[in-house]
Every structure is written in C-alpha cells, then in structure tokens.
Amino acid sequence: MAYDYDLFVIGAGSGGVRASRISATYGIKVGICEDFRVGGTCVIRGCVPKKLMVYGSKFAHAFEDAAGYGWSGLEPKHSWATLRDNVGKEVDRLNGIYLRLLKDSGVTVYMGRGRFMDRHTLEIGNETITAAKFLIATGGRPEMPDIPGREFAISSNEAFHIDDPLPKRITVVGGGYIAVEFAGIFNGLGSKVDVVIRRDRVLRGFDEECRDFVHKSLQDSGINVRSDTEVVRIEATNGKAPYRLHTKKGESFETDLVMYATGRVANTQGIGLEKVGVQLDKKGAIAVDEWSKTTAPNMWAVGDVTDRLNLTPVAIMEGHAFADTEFGGKPRKGDHRNVPSAVFCQPELATVGLTEEEARRTLGEVRIFATHFAPMKSTISHNKQRIFMKLVVEAATDKVVGVHMVGDDAAELIQGLAVAVKAGATKAQFDSTVGIHPTAGEEFVTMRNARPEPAPTKAAAE
Ligand code: NDP
C-alpha cells in the first residue's frame, strides 16, 4: 500500500523538528503538523524567552555591584514593554528559522492539530494524510490545581505576555524549575515577589545541600518564600487585580498577579491515541520502550509527551536516535544517564550525575568534596552572593559520579564537567587537572579534603 508519507510527525517542537529533519536527510518522504507555532515550548514559551528574561533581570544585580567598582550616577529604569516585545521579536525570528529549516530539509509542514482516524490516517483540519510510520512529539502543558479562583491565575505560557507595566507585587505558586526561575526574573525586574511552596524548601529532587543553598539565596535576594503551605482560594477585586490569596495556614495576603508553576502534564488528549492502540503510563504520558516505540506497531513518541527527562536536549537526542534507527540504518538508543541540567534561578543551579543522597543509596560508600565561598566579584561590591560546589565520588572506584554547583555561570561550567563525568573521570584525574586562575571553576580541581563522614550510628554499626 502506498502512503502519502513514509513518516509523519505530530508536533513541531524540539524533538519533532529534529526527528523529521534527520529522517528527511535519509531520503524518505516526511510531513509534520503543528497546532500552535513551530519551535515548541522551548523556543516559543519556555527555555529561550525565559533565558532572555533572566539576562534582562540580572542587570539589576550588576547595577548594585557597580557602585563598589566606582560607578556612580546610575539611575536605571526598566521598561517591561521593551524587554517583553524584544523577546517576542526574537521568538518570531527563531520561529521563522525553524520553519525554514523544515522546508529546506524537504519536510512538508501542516498547520493544525493532528487526530488519528486509524493507524495510518491522520486528520489535520480539513485535510487527511496517510503515513507508514508516525512519531508523536506533542510535548506537555502547564497543570494547575483546581482551586476556587484559579481562572485569575496565569501559567508560564502567559508570563511572556504580561501587560505593561509589570505588576508591583507578584506571587508565584510552586517550588520547581519554572517557579524559581520566574521568581528570580520578576524580582530582578523590580516586583515584590512571594513564592508559595507546599514543602519546606524549593526544588525537590535536587541535591539537598543545593536546595538549601538556592532556598537561602532566594530569601537573601529579597524574595518572600512562604513554605509548608498551599493557596486554597484566590479572590479577585471585581474580576481583576488586586487578588487576595488565602492559604492552608489560614493566612491571606494581597498580590497583583498570580502565576502557577505547579508542574506540567503530557499532551495526549484529542489526538485519537485510544483509536490506534497507543497506551499511556500511570502518569498519563505515552508509554515507550528504550527505542521510543509505543504500544502501536507503527508509532513512536519522543520528548515531554513521554515524560522521561523533560528537557529540550533530551527530546532532541531521542528524536535524532529514532531517525537514525528507523531510517538511517544506524540503530541507537538515547542515553538518559548523566544528563546535565540547570535551573536558571539567580544565582543558577547546575548539576550532572548523582546527588549525594542518590549516590549513598545506590553506591554505598561515597566521598564528598564541597566548598562554599564568596565569588571574587562580590569582594569589593559586598553583595551577599555565595557560590556552592560539590563533588560526589564513589569510594570504591574513585569515579566522580556527581557534580553540583550553585553560582553565576554554573550551567556553563557544568556543561564542560559533564563530559568528564560521562567519560568516567576519577577524582585523581580532576586533581591532576590544572586550574584556571582566578576563576570559580578552579575550585573543582583543587578540593583536596573529603568531608569527614559522620560516625555510624550504633544501629547502623550493628
Ligand atoms: P516541577 O515538577 O519541576 O515542579 C512543580 C512544583 O509545583 C513543585 O515544587 C511541586 O511541589 C509543586 N506543586 C505541584 N502540585 C502542586 C499543588 N497542587 N499545589 C502546590 N504546589 C504544587 O514543574 P515545573 O512546572 O517547574 O517544570 C516542569 C518541567 O519542565 C520540569 O520537569 C523540567 O524538566 C522542565 N523545565 C526545565 C527547565 C530547565 O531545564 N532549566 C526550566 C523549566 C522547566 P512538590 O515538590 O511538593 O511536588
């Protein structure tokens, strides 16, 4: 049977675009559909616009530091409209580049939502296409708890389009990646920021000491973190700001904007997955094997819709591996081990490998090398900023199995060290590497003494 396409991809985000472009280079006929904008969450309303806004807000700290370095007469004023609109223009430019990349690769682009009619037929608006194989790369979307007044809150999707001027008081609900990143952005741009978290500290799942460090850094930068509580109701004033937030602890406070960042869910609805035998896992994401294959024989899925490691470069890796395997004659699985990642809070957190807690649980004896210090830049500007660094070493092999840092440029540094961790570098090899002076990074190769291990408790010794 002849199909319109050898491969049809649903969703033109990072994973879908990479998979379709690489597949097309192998000489097959590829189509892709997208119901919002080509580029996906990362380019359109995630990593890219977020990072530009982080850059924008970080000037605030630079202005503060400048006085100690002899600068005076600075009376900076910020225009949210300028930042927002410039970020929007850059997103438009990237959207155009992604579209061009697809077209130049010979991929046919359909704008519209794809819905399966059967295992080989997809409806996109008024059109119907057929394909031998399908790749589902529909990503995820923000999820908000169902509380009274939730309609008054925005998610990170809308945060890039807030009306000018930026509200004076902003409340961010949640303590994950997105929450701490936006708290830093709004704080730097001059809003008074509250963060409401249901646990004692932000960033569950990261190394515990890094969590402590980030939590304290948020507070030191003037962000009011309301821990161990939840927002139970949002009241508006005649349907708009200011809003009154009521918490589980019985407190209430006023704010001008509420942003929820309480996690994301896979986009699996409305595609007709049930019709074609694509099963979901317990969390509602598409269940796949290590080749990204779904439970339907001619269908694969990559990226956030599979809820493995929800990071852009991981979706790209999965999409590329799928294309190489299915159409390039080079079978390979994506490698989800030792994936580095960063949280662009201020200062940022970056990490690769195991946390201390994971290493102790899975490897047994470990050696921990950790340090914290004031960055050189802070010495004469007297800001409160500190840097934290940690190496987790497997005692039996001397291998560095985890590297963690909170501090300026942590992501840039950890990207390089991730190569060493992936290559299985030992602590002795770290020690034999000469540092670059004066940098923060040199501390990673000069930490000589392992932290003394706590004496085993009587129960553990027995
Ligand atoms: P996360 O899952 O990271 O964090 C969700 C936060 O919301 C947690 O603090 C969670 O608390 C809290 N929460 C969940 N439900 C509720 C509730 N009902 N009431 C109150 N609090 C709640 O989600 P994000 O939205 O921050 O990010 C989603 C994904 O996007 C991440 O998995 C990440 O991989 C990706 N991402 C990556 C970035 C990067 O690489 N820099 C940047 C942004 C996103 P608790 O801890 O108690 O569960």
Side-chain angles (χ1 to χ4, degrees):
M1 157 121 199
Y3 298 108
D4 299 333
Y5 294 98
D6 299 301
L7 170 69
F8 200 89
V9 179
I10 309 175
S14 302
V17 168
R18 174 61 67 95
S20 54
R21 284 178 51 211
I22 300 299
S23 299
T25 64
Y26 293 127
I28 62 157
K29 201 164 174 223
V30 185
I32 192 167
C33 69
E34 167 60 51
D35 73 345
F36 183 55
R37 296 183 75 186
V38 169
T41 300
C42 174
V43 173
I44 305 297
R45 47 193 180 191
C47 331
V48 171
K50 178 274 310 283
K51 184 87 186 270
L52 288 169
M53 289 198 168
V54 169
Y55 282 131
S57 80
K58 274 172 112 174
F59 279 95
H61 313 302
F63 293 136
E64 280 166 21
D65 284 346
Y69 285 88
W71 294 95
S72 60
L74 291 172
E75 285 180 42
K77 282 197 196 75
H78 187 258
S79 159
W80 165 250
T82 304
L83 174 63
R84 181 196 60 196
D85 297 349
N86 285 343
V87 168
K89 280 181 210 151
E90 175 58 10
V91 167
D92 291 345
R93 190 182 73 86
L94 293 173
N95 173 235
I97 289 176
Y98 267 64
L99 261 172
R100 219 174 28 251
L101 281 174
L102 283 172
K103 287 182 180 154
D104 291 350
S105 317
V107 177
T108 309
V109 181
Y110 293 75
M111 291 312 296
R113 197 177 179 79
R115 210 155 52 89
F116 285 112
M117 310 306 291
D118 60 47
R119 274 198 183 149
H120 290 285
T121 314
L122 191 79
E123 183 186 75
I124 312 155
N126 298 327
E127 294 181 88
T128 301
I129 63 94
T130 59
K133 294 178 179 177
F134 283 93
L135 178 72
I136 305 158
T138 46
R141 64 177 189 282
E143 188 179 49
M144 288 189 201
D146 192 11
I147 56 155
R150 68 176 256 177
E151 65 275 18
F152 302 120
I154 64 164
S155 73
S156 56
N157 286 352
E158 293 77 42
F160 300 108
H161 309 285
I162 297 169
D163 286 341
D164 189 56
L166 194 66
K168 287 203 165 56
R169 299 167 298 180
I170 299 182
T171 299
V172 180
V173 183
Y177 280 79
I178 297 179
V180 295
E181 292 181 340
F182 274 94
I185 291 171
F186 296 142
N187 181 54
L189 297 180
S191 300
K192 181 190 161 298
V193 178
D194 284 88
V195 175
V196 184
I197 57 170
R198 62 183 180 182
R199 295 182 191 260
D200 59 337
R201 280 163 307 146
V202 294
L203 294 179
R204 179 167 61 88
F206 286 86
D207 185 272
E208 293 293 325
E209 277 181 291
C210 290
R211 294 180 66 193
D212 289 341
F213 210 83
V214 169
H215 196 95
K216 183 154 185 319
S217 303
L218 293 177
Q219 291 170 321
D220 286 348
S221 67
I223 294 169
N224 182 27
V225 187
R226 298 170 183 262
S227 320
D228 297 305
T229 192
E230 280 172 52
V231 174
V232 290
R233 194 168 84 249
I234 304 173
E235 277 169 13
T237 315
N238 299 322
K240 48 187 186 12
Y243 305 104
R244 181 153 285 278
L245 301 190
H246 296 266
T247 73
K248 216 173 190 171
K249 285 183 177 167
E251 297 165 339
S252 81
F253 64 99
E254 213 173 64
T255 191
D256 303 312
L257 182 83
V258 190
M259 182 186 133
Y260 266 75
T262 45
R264 295 175 63 85
V265 286
N267 275 331
T268 54
Q269 302 301 309
I271 316 171
L273 296 181
E274 58 296 336
K275 260 192 214 165
V276 292
V278 170
Q279 282 170 14
L280 306 184
D281 65 17
K282 279 188 226 122
K283 290 184 288 177
I286 294 182
V288 286
D289 68 10
E290 53 195 356
W291 299 95
S292 297
K293 196 161 200 325
T294 72
T295 47
N298 64 327
M299 299 195 187
W300 287 256
V302 295
D304 288 7
V305 76
T306 64
D307 197 19
R308 285 175 278 182
L309 261 179
N310 298 337
L311 298 168
T312 296
V314 172
I316 290 172
M317 169 183 78
E318 292 165 356
H320 202 134
F322 156 78
D324 285 350
T325 303
E326 283 306 309
F327 305 109
K330 293 180 278 186
R332 66 182 184 97
K333 301 170 193 169
D335 184 357
H336 292 83
R337 290 165 306 167
N338 289 325
V339 170
S341 71
V343 185
F344 293 99
C345 44
Q346 299 173 35
E348 66 204 36
L349 160 66
T351 170
V352 60
L354 302 179
T355 65
E356 177 177 343
E357 297 72 33
E358 286 166 342
R360 287 191 189 285
R361 212 171 44 242
T362 58
L363 303 176
E365 202 187 329
V366 295
R367 287 184 288 136
I368 303 297
F369 298 81
T371 180
H372 59 92
F373 54 94
M376 192 176 186
K377 193 173 159 196
S378 302
T379 52
I380 57 176
S381 60
H382 301 296
N383 70 25
K384 280 188 180 168
Q385 207 179 311
R386 311 236 354 130
I387 290 178
F388 176 72
M389 290 175 170
K390 184 176 198 173
L391 293 176
V392 182
V393 178
E394 183 181 30
T397 59
D398 196 41
K399 271 191 187 160
V400 177
V401 293
V403 186
H404 309 273
M405 174 172 173
V406 185
D408 276 349
D409 303 320
E412 303 289 348
L413 251 150
I414 294 291
Q415 179 66 80
L417 290 175
V419 179
V421 172
K422 191 109 186 143
T426 60
K427 178 66 170 65
Q429 287 167 324
F430 269 61
D431 293 344
S432 71
T433 304
V434 175
I436 301 175
H437 188 69
T439 62
E442 66 183 315
E443 294 292 324
F444 274 125
V445 293
T446 53
M447 285 192 263
R448 294 279 173 256
N449 300 316
R451 180 185 281 170
E453 287 292 296
T457 60
K458 191 162 175 289
E462 286 164 358

